Amino acid sequence: RIKAIESPNKDDDTQWLTYWVVYGVFSIAEFFSDIFLSWFPFYYMIKCGFLLWCMAPSPSNGAEFLYHRIIRPFFLKHEAQLDSVVKDLKDKA
């Protein structure tokens, strides 16, 4: 999905692709930290608010913000390594 966002062909699907990339990263992080986070009061309300902020149909929604500030720089820095891992997995499959 990141490759589709970074492609030169920009359609109106970019907003939703960005959201799903952010949601995927959030889901992975939550999988490993859910046992600790669930103890915090109002965690699930804060989680719902966070996801609504990420889906907001405004130009400065959370998904755009998090993607451009955190995920995109990390991806661009490690793109070659990630591509080689994906290629190795494809070869093994």
Side-chain angles (χ1 to χ4, degrees):
R1 293 184 181 152
I2 291 176
K3 293 281 190 182
I5 295 169
E6 295 299 321
S7 71
N9 184 11
K10 299 288 182 189
D11 294 327
D12 56 348
D13 60 348
T14 303
Q15 177 184 357
W16 287 110
L17 287 172
T18 305
Y19 169 76
W20 285 112
V21 167
V22 170
Y23 182 80
V25 170
F26 173 75
S27 294
I28 291 169
E30 184 186 32
F31 177 78
F32 293 106
S33 62
D34 188 45
I35 192 147
F36 302 111
L37 293 175
S38 63
W39 287 51
F40 286 103
F42 304 110
Y43 165 68
Y44 292 103
M45 289 180 62
I46 293 169
K47 177 183 170 181
C48 286
F50 170 76
L51 293 175
L52 285 173
W53 176 59
C54 287
M55 283 188 282
S58 67
S60 60
N61 67 11
E64 291 284 328
F65 177 79
L66 293 172
Y67 177 77
H68 288 292
R69 292 281 177 109
I70 299 170
I71 297 171
R72 185 174 191 268
F74 179 83
F75 172 75
L76 292 176
K77 183 178 179 181
H78 301 288
E79 184 176 11
Q81 294 167 336
L82 293 171
D83 285 342
S84 70
V85 168
V86 169
K87 184 182 179 303
D88 290 343
L89 290 173
K90 282 183 182 179
D91 292 342
K92 288 180 182 178

